[in-house]
Amino acid sequence: MAFHASPQAQAHRAVPMVSPPERADRDGERLLEEFNQAVRRPDEFGGLSTVARLLDRIATREQPATGPVWIPDTNARLAPSAMLRGIFPDSDISVIASQYGEDAHRRGWLKLDRRLTPAEHAAVVGRAVAWSETDRSLVDILAEFGPPSVIFGPPERYRPKTLSYATDDPSAPVVAFHLGSAEAEPDPGSGDRRSAGADLLAVRIRDDLRDGWKITPSGVDRLVRRASVQSP
């Protein structure tokens, strides 16, 4: 004898299991919070793969048809940001994390610690490249431009990191100061260089080598030294 479910049971099964809006909102907020923590400190949250995975989950919730792949420079291997990573042998992770952060900012997913006013942002964009023609340190950047919108990297001031400056406008460029670990001063009597914080190696406003990047003298020196070590 065939078994037929009652109309009440059929109606019960027909109701889709959907999370309440309040729970969905909480889940989305928690996901954004996890991403914003991981992108700032990738080393503490499983590395860059965790950052990319969180971005995919956020995108799946908000843009399910896009199917993004969060790999910076995947389709632009000759982009300056890909070619110049040789400058950053010890800070590559913060450089890439900052690019993930910029992608998220353009989509409204990055929570800024400081939102620059249009005037403040214009000043950073207008001065950052020329200002970086001279060697600078973390302390110099903070004194000149104030606290950044986001810091990608470890909290210790002498360790590699990227300082990014942005506004609420997702279409405005994000100015990124890429810093490598502070190097010891060759002259023992010149003091502890680490007290000034990490060394500025390059500044990036856009991925255009002609007018969007500036490599500092320290950055050039490290690039030359790395090339000489790698050459046969």
Side-chain angles (χ1 to χ4, degrees), residues 114 116-131 144-145 165 167 175 177 205:
R114 175 193 172 198
L116 273 66
T117 66
E120 290 171 335
H121 182 259
V124 179
V125 171
R127 300 181 52 238
V129 170
W131 184 81
E144 187 70 20
F145 300 111
Y165 291 77
T167 71
V175 182
F177 293 89
I205 298 177

Side-chain angles (χ1 to χ4, degrees), residues 104-125:
H105 177 58
R106 285 192 286 271
R107 293 162 175 80
W109 302 337
L110 183 67
K111 297 180 180 179
L112 303 180
D113 299 321
R114 175 193 172 198
R115 295 169 173 81
L116 273 66
T117 66
E120 290 171 335
H121 182 259
V124 179
V125 171

Side-chain angles (χ1 to χ4, degrees), residues 112-116 138 141-142 145-152 162-166 175 177:
L112 303 180
D113 299 321
R114 175 193 172 198
R115 295 169 173 81
L116 273 66
L138 172 65
I141 298 170
L142 296 176
F145 300 111
S149 301
V150 184
I151 298 177
F152 302 94
T162 293
L163 274 56
S164 292
Y165 291 77
V175 182
F177 293 89

Side-chain angles (χ1 to χ4, degrees), residues 108-215:
W109 302 337
L110 183 67
K111 297 180 180 179
L112 303 180
D113 299 321
R114 175 193 172 198
R115 295 169 173 81
L116 273 66
T117 66
E120 290 171 335
H121 182 259
V124 179
V125 171
R127 300 181 52 238
V129 170
W131 184 81
S132 300
E133 291 179 353
T134 302
D135 280 333
R136 308 287 186 177
S137 69
L138 172 65
V139 169
D140 296 327
I141 298 170
L142 296 176
E144 187 70 20
F145 300 111
S149 301
V150 184
I151 298 177
F152 302 94
E156 293 84 1
R157 64 181 352 184
Y158 60 86
R159 293 180 62 189
K161 57 183 56 48
T162 293
L163 274 56
S164 292
Y165 291 77
T167 71
D168 281 331
D169 181 1
S171 65
V174 177
V175 182
F177 293 89
H178 299 304
L179 299 99
S181 57
E183 294 191 332
E185 189 68 37
D187 180 4
S190 60
D192 183 8
R193 278 286 307 280
R194 301 201 333 174
S195 63
D199 296 326
L200 178 62
L201 304 183
V203 62
R204 172 172 54 85
I205 298 177
R206 60 189 67 84
D207 216 10
D208 181 338
L209 191 58
R210 179 172 298 178
D211 62 357
W213 277 84
K214 183 64 183 181
I215 306 175

